[in-house]
């Protein structure tokens, strides 16, 4: 981040296993609050408060009770602190904001998303930004593709047009990112990190742990982790909505969000304490 603010190009003048938006998030924090730990803590707090606001706004789409929505947003901030994310400045912490904005836009415009190509394109751009924070979120993006395909009873040709518009939004932001590194002579380094070093790093957990350890922790993710109450309650609510025939397109998006998050945890083998 310091090099970026001094006019240098990341990857070309630095070595880091994170996708580019993490670097630029830190750069924005340093630009606004200075080069210090305290400055980044303040920046992170503001970022997470904005995330909480969008959690509240997303909750309001589904729930009429203001208090419950406020509790949802407050619970996010509390868990962010309680799970020790507040002093680690993880990529996932930054990535939460564009993910919530993505879900918010899809939920708010679920009836119009297939009729308004511009909104669909914008959501694609936001999805691209999420990917540029961390590629492991790709399971959620795939589920969003499925959601778009089944979100309206229209002809197959029109469904593919909608998917193409959404894909164009994703590809446009990724294309601009690649073009930026090409024009600045840093594409070779950028591509080597993304295609070689990150996959090697991602394999470490799988290579160093036994199958029994991975299986045991996968099981505990559902029944003995901090996520377990959320997962169990969500399954119960899913069953209730399905039984009462209230599982509509808008509601299903929330469960796809949860499923995408869980799959992302599992495929990364994130079995450290704070994960």
């Amino acid at each position: 981040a310091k090099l970026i603010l001094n006019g240098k190009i990341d990857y070309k003048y630095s070595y880091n296993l994170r996708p580019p938006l993490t670097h630029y998030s830190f750069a924005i924090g340093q630009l606004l609050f200075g080069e210090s730990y305290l400055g980044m803590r303040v920046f992170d707090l503001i970022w997470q408060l904005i995330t909480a606001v969008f959690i509240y706004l997303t909750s309001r789409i589904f729930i009429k009770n203001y208090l419950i929505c406020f509790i949802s947003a407050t619970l996010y901030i509390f868990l962010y602190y309680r799970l020790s994310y507040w002093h680690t400045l993880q990529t996932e912490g930054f990535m939460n904001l564009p993910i919530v904005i993505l879900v918010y836009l899809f939920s708010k415009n679920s009836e119009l998303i297939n009729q308004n190509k511009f909104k669909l394109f914008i959501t694609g751009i936001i999805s691209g930004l999420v990917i540029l924070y961390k590629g492991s979120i790709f399971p959620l993006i795939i589920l969003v593709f499925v959601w778009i395909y089944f979100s309206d009873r229209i002809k197959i040709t029109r469904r593919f047009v909608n998917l193409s518009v959404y894909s164009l939004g994703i590809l446009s932001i990724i294309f601009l990112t690649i073009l930026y590194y090409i024009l600045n002579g840093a594409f070779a380094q950028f591509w080597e990190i993304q295609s070689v070093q990150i996959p090697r790093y991602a394999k470490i957990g799988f290579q160093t742990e036994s199958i029994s350890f991975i299986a045991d922790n996968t099981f505990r993710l559902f029944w003995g982790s901090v996520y377990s109450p959320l997962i169990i309650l969500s399954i119960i609510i899913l069953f209730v909505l399905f039984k009462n025939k209230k599982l509509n397109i808008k509601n299903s998006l929330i469960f796809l969000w949860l499923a995408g998050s869980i799959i992302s945890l599992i495929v990364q083998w994130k079995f450290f304490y704070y994960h």
Side-chain angles (χ1 to χ4, degrees), residues 78-95:
F78 171 75
L79 289 176
Y80 191 82
Y81 162 76
R82 185 64 183 87
L83 297 177
S84 298
Y85 263 91
W86 67 275
H87 66 76
T88 57
L89 292 170
Q90 291 285 336
T91 294
E92 288 85 352
F94 288 117
M95 185 173 65

Side-chain angles (χ1 to χ4, degrees), residues 210-229:
S210 65
I211 296 298
S212 60
F213 176 86
I214 294 173
D216 178 61
N217 279 275
T218 302
F219 179 80
R220 287 166 61 181
L221 172 66
F222 290 89
W223 299 108
S225 73
V226 70
Y227 303 103
S228 301

Side-chain angles (χ1 to χ4, degrees), residues 232-246:
I232 295 171
L233 286 172
S234 297
I235 292 174
I236 293 173
I237 294 170
L238 176 64
F239 174 77
V240 172
L241 288 174
F242 180 79
K243 183 179 180 181
N244 295 329
K245 298 181 180 180
K246 293 183 178 180

Side-chain angles (χ1 to χ4, degrees), residues 28-255:
I28 293 172
Q30 288 190 20
L31 180 66
L32 294 176
F33 299 101
E35 186 186 333
S36 68
Y37 285 120
L38 178 60
M40 285 307 301
R41 301 286 178 256
V42 173
F43 175 67
D44 186 43
L45 177 61
I46 294 174
W47 189 283
Q48 302 310 325
L49 287 173
I50 296 173
T51 304
V53 169
F54 273 95
I55 289 176
Y56 172 83
L57 294 175
T58 304
S59 300
R60 287 288 299 137
I61 297 173
F62 299 90
I63 303 170
K64 295 181 180 180
N65 189 302
Y66 289 92
L67 179 60
I68 293 176
C69 297
F70 179 76
I71 290 174
S72 298
T74 305
L75 186 61
Y76 170 76
I77 296 296
F78 171 75
L79 289 176
Y80 191 82
Y81 162 76
R82 185 64 183 87
L83 297 177
S84 298
Y85 263 91
W86 67 275
H87 66 76
T88 57
L89 292 170
Q90 291 285 336
T91 294
E92 288 85 352
F94 288 117
M95 185 173 65
N96 282 340
L97 178 56
I99 290 178
V100 177
I101 292 177
L102 176 66
V103 175
Y104 170 75
L105 290 176
F106 268 132
S107 301
K108 190 174 181 60
N109 301 292
S110 60
E111 292 84 5
L112 301 175
I113 202 71
N114 287 328
Q115 285 74 40
N116 193 316
K117 298 296 186 289
F118 178 73
K119 289 183 178 179
L120 196 56
F121 180 75
I122 294 299
T123 54
I125 290 178
I126 296 174
S127 297
L129 293 176
V130 173
I131 294 172
L132 289 175
Y133 269 110
K134 201 163 189 182
S136 60
I137 202 61
F138 210 74
L140 174 60
I141 304 301
I142 294 175
L143 291 175
V144 170
F145 269 91
V146 175
W147 184 84
I148 293 174
Y149 183 82
F150 290 103
S151 62
D152 203 352
R153 296 179 180 179
I154 53 178
K155 294 181 179 180
I156 294 180
T157 53
R158 188 174 169 184
R159 295 184 187 185
F160 280 109
V161 169
N162 293 335
L163 289 174
S164 299
V165 172
Y166 177 68
S167 301
L168 184 61
I170 296 177
L171 294 175
S172 63
I173 192 67
I174 294 177
F175 170 77
L176 289 175
T177 301
I178 292 174
L179 182 63
Y180 170 77
Y181 287 112
I182 290 176
L183 295 177
N184 287 281
F187 177 73
Q189 296 91 332
F190 165 78
W191 182 248
E192 201 266 343
I193 290 289
Q194 309 305 318
S195 63
V196 179
Q197 301 303 329
I198 290 180
R200 285 180 177 176
Y201 171 74
K203 291 179 181 179
I204 291 175
F206 180 75
Q207 291 173 340
T208 57
E209 304 294 354
S210 65
I211 296 298
S212 60
F213 176 86
I214 294 173
D216 178 61
N217 279 275
T218 302
F219 179 80
R220 287 166 61 181
L221 172 66
F222 290 89
W223 299 108
S225 73
V226 70
Y227 303 103
S228 301
L230 172 64
I231 295 172
I232 295 171
L233 286 172
S234 297
I235 292 174
I236 293 173
I237 294 170
L238 176 64
F239 174 77
V240 172
L241 288 174
F242 180 79
K243 183 179 180 181
N244 295 329
K245 298 181 180 180
K246 293 183 178 180
L247 187 62
N248 54 33
I249 287 296
K250 184 185 295 186
N251 290 336
S252 65
L253 180 64
I254 298 298
F255 294 99

